[in-house]
Amino acid sequence: PQVSISDDKARVSAVLPSGESVEVLLFGATVLSWKDAAGDEKLWLSKDAVLDGSKGVRGGIPLVFPIFGPASSDHAPTSKLPQHGFARTARWEFLGRSTSEGSSSSVKLDFGLSADSITDSIKASWPYKFGLLYSVTLDRESLNTTLVVTNDGDKPFDFQMLLHTYLSVKDISTIQIGGLEESMYIDKVDNASQKQQPSSALTFSAETDRIYTPAKGPKNPITVSDAGSVQYRLIRDNLDQIVVWNPWSEKAQAMADFSPNEGYKNMVCVEAGSVNGWQRLDKGDAFEGAQTIHLP
Ligand code: BG6
């Protein structure tokens, strides 16, 4: 049995012979779905998610580049960009499957975006020659997403990047995030104040929007557990921050593309990225950042 791949020019999907699957929307190279062999969905996707590239997808794994959050006059080169940048709405190119022929227990799908394929208005706002190569690798028990950023022009540029993963959970009230103990974080729901996570796991009972810089090294997994049993184990590569976000009821209701309203109970965003300050890429240089989410 072979891996089956389908590409209808809007979405690319791959299914392993053992049943695991992944689906990627070309707008944003957004992973929309990741299912295990039993067909259980691992990513949360809003029923009213906008899938035509006019805004980022509410769910799955939108790719944040080259700015995280709203633009600010504090950083002039990115000050004209939309919230979370343009990579999540641009139309990417499917470059094909790059796994060694014949492997049936994993598949790697490659997607590309360059300065040549973004709109003139974005080019005018961010006039750099960049290349993005995004690889989505589905294994029987994990999903890896890797972004390689290259500077193909003459001018250096600064960027931030984030893998904005919406994980599906049964009940946010019993979810615990481990691996952030003692870590410093910026609390975006409390005037961006600097705080420190106590030596306990993170739990949820209200709107939560935090930028953590995990105190333990990158090899230490971030775990998402439900009533003590691990559901996901996230390993970062070259990404120093973890953003944790749940909008809770009021904010969920206020988002036109967030549906159902009660959906906030079934999702948690755990987002590996490089968003504290800026990565600078000189002419000809490359940066690679990745995450692997393992199932228990
Ligand atoms: C999170 C941010 O990463 O994304 C939040 O920390 C933000 O502040 C959320 O609200 C959703 O952003 P957007 O642009 O997809 O509505």
Side-chain angles (χ1 to χ4, degrees), residues 123-171:
K123 263 183 225 163
S125 306
W126 203 72
Y128 300 99
K129 280 241 169 229
F130 68 94
L132 298 181
L133 173 65
Y134 187 52
S135 304
V136 175
T137 305
L138 173 69
D139 269 282
R140 294 211 50 193
E141 272 149 19
S142 66
L143 183 76
N144 171 285
T145 56
T146 299
L147 184 69
V148 177
V149 184
T150 51
N151 184 343
D152 304 334
D154 294 326
K155 287 178 287 181
F157 63 75
D158 292 343
F159 71 94
Q160 298 172 325
M161 67 152 283
L162 181 81
L163 303 164
H164 197 305
T165 309
Y166 289 73
L167 293 171
S168 163
V169 298
K170 280 211 190 72
D171 178 1

Side-chain angles (χ1 to χ4, degrees), residues 58 68 83-84 88 162 164 166 188 209 243 245 271:
R58 181 68 60 209
F68 169 63
Q83 154 125 322
H84 291 343
R88 66 175 178 167
L162 181 81
H164 197 305
Y166 289 73
K188 289 173 78 177
D209 192 357
V243 176
W245 179 59
E271 316 165 20

